[in-house]
């Protein structure tokens, strides 16, 4: 059965090219040209995936995402033209699954979508209609060992809440957004720190070190964070 995709995009040429690319890959598409029609579509139909432009004529994609998240955990891929928006998209506040920056290729969008769908099916969150907080918990820390408790802004490891500083929390939560994904120090710096000083990328190393120590206090036999020499860090996928 083909997955149904809601495309929320006001630029007609972009929307048409997405519809064309997705339909030729076997997806079913519905196009909403603004925020209000997107909200209406979500309330009337069911979708397996949403592609959401941040800059819409009536309301921002962020607002639309927040509203959808009240009732649904459907995977959301953001389209953005501005790199400043990326940390908000990936942040805990919104719970976007991923983003693609404009201009993009249809192929790039399809491959991101497939990756997200695989991930969500793997963790058993295909049909999400429960309370949003529960969805978010499962989505952020889709594996039970390590869970982000959004309401309390804390991370629980093997049932024990970690005592983390604000930056440690944001850093670990960022790694947890995409298990297995290798983030460079520079990426982590710009996602986690408000006014990143790129000359201080060692700050990332220092914080990773303290997070590791705190995780090891709970389970000394495992190291959840992998170091990729010359690249950066990732969270183990099998956590
Ligand atoms: Ca737009």
């Amino acid at each position: 059965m083909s997955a149904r995709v809601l495309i929320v995009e006001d630029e007609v040429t972009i929307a048409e090219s997405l519809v064309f690319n997705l339909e030729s890959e076997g997806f079913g598409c519905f196009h909403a040209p603004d925020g209000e029609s997107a909200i209406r579509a979500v309330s009337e139909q069911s979708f397996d995936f949403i592609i959401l432009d941040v800059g819409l004529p009536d309301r921002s994609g962020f607002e639309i995402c927040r509203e959808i998240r009240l009732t649904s955990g459907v995977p959301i891929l953001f389209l953005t033209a501005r790199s400043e928006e990326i940390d908000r998209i990936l942040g805990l506040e919104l719970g976007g699954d991923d983003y693609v920056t404009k201009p993009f290729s249809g192929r790039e969008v399809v491959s991101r979508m497939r990756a997200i769908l695989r991930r969500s099916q793997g963790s058993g969150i295909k049909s999400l209609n429960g309370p949003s907080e529960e969805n978010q918990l499962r989505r952020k820390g889709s594996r039970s060992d390590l869970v982000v408790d959004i309401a309390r802004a804390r991370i629980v490891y093997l049932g024990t809440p970690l005592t983390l500083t604000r930056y440690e929390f944001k850093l670990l939560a960022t790694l947890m957004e995409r298990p297995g994904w290798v983030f460079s120090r520079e990426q982590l710096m710009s996602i986690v720190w408000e006014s990143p000083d790129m000359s201080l990328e060692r700050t990332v190393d220092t914080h990773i070190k303290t997070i590791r120590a705190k995780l090891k206090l709970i389970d000394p036999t495992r190291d959840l964070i992998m170091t990729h020499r010359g690249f950066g860090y990732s969270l183990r996928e099998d956590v």
Side-chain angles (χ1 to χ4, degrees):
M1 201 184 75
S2 71
R4 278 180 49 75
V5 183
L6 171 63
I7 298 165
V8 190
E9 169 61 76
D10 57 309
E11 285 166 72
V12 180
T13 49
I14 294 179
E16 278 176 351
S17 104
L18 281 172
V19 169
F20 174 79
N21 273 282
L22 294 178
E23 285 184 345
S24 63
E25 293 281 331
F27 292 100
C29 295
F30 183 89
H31 173 222
D34 53 48
E36 280 310 318
S37 53
I39 293 294
R40 207 176 322 122
V42 168
S43 69
E44 291 168 355
Q45 307 172 43
S46 83
F47 295 99
D48 301 292
F49 201 94
I50 295 177
I51 296 176
L52 180 55
D53 183 29
V54 174
L56 294 167
D58 53 347
R59 301 171 61 186
S60 89
F62 292 144
E63 270 180 67
I64 301 301
C65 175
R66 220 171 276 130
E67 195 159 329
I68 291 171
R69 280 282 175 263
L70 294 175
T71 56
S72 164
V74 61
I76 295 177
L77 176 72
F78 277 101
L79 303 177
T80 174
R82 303 169 61 206
S83 55
E84 307 93 86
E85 290 166 345
I86 292 169
D87 53 345
R88 283 195 70 192
I89 292 170
L90 294 177
L92 293 168
E93 176 199 356
L94 282 165
D97 291 86
D98 205 345
Y99 62 89
V100 174
T101 46
K102 293 177 178 180
F104 53 78
S105 71
R107 183 189 282 192
E108 190 182 352
V109 172
V110 171
S111 78
R112 290 290 176 93
M113 275 184 57
R114 288 202 189 284
I116 295 168
L117 286 169
R118 262 199 309 275
R119 215 159 60 205
S120 60
Q121 280 156 359
S123 55
I125 56 162
K126 179 80 179 19
S127 57
L128 288 158
N129 291 305
S132 63
E133 190 186 346
E134 190 182 303
N135 286 339
Q136 288 216 347
L137 287 180
R138 275 189 280 156
R139 296 158 60 72
K140 299 300 175 192
S142 53
R143 291 116 186 120
S144 55
D145 287 1
L146 201 56
V147 177
V148 176
D149 179 347
I150 293 164
R152 296 181 185 83
R154 66 182 191 181
I155 295 172
V156 179
Y157 179 39
L158 297 170
T160 308
L162 296 165
T163 314
L164 301 171
T165 65
R166 191 158 64 100
Y167 288 125
E168 289 167 357
F169 173 82
K170 287 176 81 176
L171 202 48
L172 184 54
T174 302
L175 293 174
M176 287 172 69
E177 290 273 349
R178 299 162 144 192
W181 180 283
V182 181
F183 290 88
S184 69
R185 288 177 178 79
E186 193 183 355
Q187 284 171 327
L188 290 170
M189 195 94 218
S190 57
I191 292 170
V192 173
W193 276 264
E194 286 100 17
S195 45
D197 178 349
M198 293 305 178
S199 66
L200 295 176
E201 282 179 23
R202 280 184 185 282
T203 311
V204 174
D205 300 335
T206 311
H207 283 79
I208 291 282
K209 204 171 149 185
T210 56
I211 293 171
R212 275 191 169 128
K214 289 175 181 182
L215 291 168
K216 286 214 165 177
L217 279 177
I218 295 171
D219 183 353
T221 65
R222 289 204 291 181
D223 195 356
L224 306 191
I225 299 172
M226 296 173 71
T227 303
H228 302 264
R229 273 181 194 285
F231 291 99
Y233 299 99
S234 68
L235 187 78
R236 292 184 67 100
E237 277 183 281
D238 57 351
V239 176

